[in-house]
């Protein structure tokens, strides 16, 4: 049985997907659940995850991603969109969720709510957008690891035009911004990069223990 490290060594940023191979509904649900369980600041999850399967929409997004074929050939396209309006409403919804999930009176969570609201309200709009965008990368990392565990290929991508994505998907009206994307599916036999040795810094180069 392969281990987590074996699976992480196996994965790579797939350059060419086999468009004939699709992820099963069960595996897709596992990926979605993994992303749902991803860590985030306070557990607030200030983002949405849009899964694009519609071929017409993906063709438009491909043009906004400099023609990269992964956009249309992969089984699914995950778009992590950070919340541009994170604030009191988001906090209130989260507190309600905590209260219902843990059976705790909402009033008992007032201090936690005040703390979150205080931190967020002190951020400039630019700083808040950077903060919420950073959260999407944590979810992205969880998706990549979960996909590797299932032997599903995934490619994280920053090479796209966020403004164009926002316009195509109507994110501007939803207070969202396309932060980072990932294509998931199965590698094509003709993708030569799958045979490249993985190149990473050594432990000595990467880690500093103090």
């Amino acid at each position: 049985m392969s281990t987590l490290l074996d699976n992480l060594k196996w994965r790579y940023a797939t350059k060419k997907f086999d468009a004939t191979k699709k992820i099963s509904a069960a595996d897709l649900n596992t990926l979605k659940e993994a992303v749902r369980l991803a860590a985030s600041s306070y557990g607030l999850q200030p983002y949405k995850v849009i899964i694009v399967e519609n071929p017409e929409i993906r063709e438009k997004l491909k043009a906004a991603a400099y023609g990269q074929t992964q956009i249309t050939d992969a089984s699914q396209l995950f778009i992590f969109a950070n919340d541009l309006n994170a604030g009191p409403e988001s906090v209130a919804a989260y507190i309600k969720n905590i209260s219902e999930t843990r059976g705790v009176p909402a009033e008992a969570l007032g201090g936690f709510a005040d703390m979150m609201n205080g931190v967020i309200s002190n951020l400039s709009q630019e700083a808040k957008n950077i903060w919420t965008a950073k959260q999407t990368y944590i979810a992205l990392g969880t998706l990549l690891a979960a996909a590797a565990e299932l032997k599903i290929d995934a490619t994280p991508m920053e090479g796209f035009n966020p403004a164009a994505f926002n316009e195509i998907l109507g994110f501007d009206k939803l207070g969202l911004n396309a932060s980072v994307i990932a294509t998931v599916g199965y590698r094509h036999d003709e993708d030569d990069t799958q045979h490249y040795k993985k190149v990473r810094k050594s432990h000595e180069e990467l880690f500093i223990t103090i």
Side-chain angles (χ1 to χ4, degrees), residues 4-91:
L4 173 61
L5 292 182
D6 291 330
N7 293 329
L8 291 178
K9 291 175 183 176
W10 169 85
R11 72 152 304 277
Y12 74 109
T14 306
K15 301 299 185 291
K16 183 177 178 61
F17 284 89
D18 187 337
T20 67
K21 295 181 179 179
K22 302 300 180 183
I23 297 173
S24 70
D27 283 347
L28 181 59
N29 282 334
T30 298
L31 293 180
K32 291 165 66 176
E33 182 66 0
V35 171
R36 189 182 75 87
L37 294 172
S40 67
S41 290
Y42 310 120
L44 192 58
Q45 297 174 291
Y47 50 79
K48 295 285 187 181
V49 184
I50 294 80
I51 301 173
V52 187
E53 297 180 339
N54 184 293
E56 294 181 0
I57 296 176
R58 287 168 70 173
E59 279 293 341
K60 293 179 181 178
L61 295 174
K62 177 182 174 181
Y66 315 110
Q68 296 181 83
T69 59
Q70 298 100 312
I71 300 294
T72 50
D73 290 348
S75 181
Q76 276 85 17
L77 168 64
F78 278 64
I79 301 175
F80 296 84
N82 59 302
D83 183 2
L84 300 178
N85 299 315
E89 289 186 8
S90 306
V91 171

Side-chain angles (χ1 to χ4, degrees):
M1 181 180 293
S2 60
T3 66
L4 173 61
L5 292 182
D6 291 330
N7 293 329
L8 291 178
K9 291 175 183 176
W10 169 85
R11 72 152 304 277
Y12 74 109
T14 306
K15 301 299 185 291
K16 183 177 178 61
F17 284 89
D18 187 337
T20 67
K21 295 181 179 179
K22 302 300 180 183
I23 297 173
S24 70
D27 283 347
L28 181 59
N29 282 334
T30 298
L31 293 180
K32 291 165 66 176
E33 182 66 0
V35 171
R36 189 182 75 87
L37 294 172
S40 67
S41 290
Y42 310 120
L44 192 58
Q45 297 174 291
Y47 50 79
K48 295 285 187 181
V49 184
I50 294 80
I51 301 173
V52 187
E53 297 180 339
N54 184 293
E56 294 181 0
I57 296 176
R58 287 168 70 173
E59 279 293 341
K60 293 179 181 178
L61 295 174
K62 177 182 174 181
Y66 315 110
Q68 296 181 83
T69 59
Q70 298 100 312
I71 300 294
T72 50
D73 290 348
S75 181
Q76 276 85 17
L77 168 64
F78 278 64
I79 301 175
F80 296 84
N82 59 302
D83 183 2
L84 300 178
N85 299 315
E89 289 186 8
S90 306
V91 171
Y94 181 41
I95 291 296
K96 182 174 183 292
N97 195 359
I98 295 175
S99 175
E100 293 175 350
T101 301
R102 297 178 178 171
V104 178
E107 300 76 34
L109 301 168
F112 185 37
D114 291 342
M115 183 272 290
M116 287 188 286
N117 280 320
V119 171
I120 295 172
S121 65
N122 283 326
L123 296 174
S124 67
Q125 186 63 46
E126 180 182 8
K128 184 168 66 173
N129 293 346
I130 291 172
W131 171 64
T132 56
K134 285 181 177 179
Q135 305 307 303
T136 66
Y137 281 79
I138 301 173
L140 169 66
T142 302
L143 172 66
L144 299 181
E149 285 281 271
L150 295 172
K151 285 295 193 289
I152 291 172
D153 291 295
T155 302
M157 302 171 71
E158 292 182 309
F160 67 98
N161 184 328
F165 266 54
N166 292 344
E167 182 177 356
I168 292 168
L169 297 167
F171 283 176
D172 297 331
K173 298 176 182 178
L174 300 174
L176 297 172
N177 171 66
S179 172
V180 66
I181 66 177
T183 50
V184 296
Y186 297 98
R187 64 189 67 178
H188 198 289
D189 291 340
E190 296 176 357
D191 187 358
D192 291 337
T193 58
Q194 66 185 289
H195 304 298
Y196 293 175
K197 288 186 176 181
K198 192 177 289 292
V199 179
R200 295 291 188 273
K201 290 181 177 180
S202 68
H203 280 243
E204 292 73 22
E205 293 172 312
L206 182 61
F207 299 105
I208 299 174
T209 301
I210 57 175

